[in-house]
Amino acid sequence: MIVNSLLFKTFRTATFSGTRIIARNMSGIVENTIRNKLQTSLGTKHLEIINESYMHNVPKGAETHFKVVVVSDKFDGLPLIKRHRLVNEILKEELQTGVHALSIVAKTPEQWDNSDKVVESSPNCRGGFGK
């Protein structure tokens, strides 16, 4: 299968609710595209791409649900809604072609430096359709 030949193994370190987790993970095509687009467009100072697809009713290895933690000088002076719109515009193609959900944490370098740098875990999937 072509997709499998394009995947490579990585180790991800993330902090969820104060707990440091090191997990072996597969970094896929969509995740790499998201990373490249955000780095290029925003000149990120810090960037985390977290594939949360495993938390949902999707096939194993899916790339449909992501959380991004983006720190960029380009967010200076922008309210949160405009930061989110900017990220959504950069990832417009991915959001139209398979990424079902995108959670965004968008901070300026100063906000990031003054934060606890903890990425809260997303809530469990409720199965969609208001369940």
Side-chain angles (χ1 to χ4, degrees):
M1 188 170 170
I2 294 173
V3 172
N4 287 338
S5 68
L6 296 173
L7 297 176
F8 57 92
K9 294 178 182 174
T10 63
F11 288 92
R12 178 183 319 285
T13 302
T15 303
F16 294 100
S17 300
T19 304
R20 199 87 174 144
I21 298 170
I22 300 175
R24 187 172 172 185
N25 199 6
M26 298 295 284
S27 182
I29 296 168
V30 176
E31 182 176 337
N32 287 328
T33 299
I34 290 170
R35 179 175 288 102
N36 292 335
K37 284 187 172 186
L38 292 176
Q39 284 175 338
T40 301
S41 298
L42 297 174
T44 58
K45 305 293 182 189
H46 177 83
L47 178 62
E48 293 179 50
I49 313 294
I50 303 163
N51 184 343
E52 297 183 328
S53 302
Y54 72 92
M55 298 168 61
H56 301 273
N57 187 20
V58 296
K60 186 175 181 172
E63 292 187 280
T64 56
H65 297 70
F66 287 93
K67 177 179 286 191
V68 296
V69 179
V70 187
V71 178
S72 173
D73 288 321
K74 294 195 178 184
F75 295 145
D76 282 335
L78 291 180
L80 189 57
I81 188 72
K82 288 189 177 182
R83 296 174 189 187
H84 283 225
R85 286 179 182 157
L86 180 58
V87 170
N88 282 323
E89 183 60 31
I90 292 167
L91 301 177
K92 183 178 180 178
E93 183 178 347
E94 289 68 33
L95 290 166
Q96 292 174 344
T97 59
V99 173
H100 172 73
L102 180 65
S103 174
I104 302 168
V105 177
K107 296 183 180 256
T108 65
E110 182 180 0
Q111 289 171 325
W112 181 251
D113 289 342
N114 293 329
S115 75
D116 57 11
K117 297 172 185 61
V118 173
V119 179
E120 296 295 325
S121 59
S122 295
N124 291 331
C125 179
R126 295 183 55 168
F129 305 108
K131 290 184 179 184

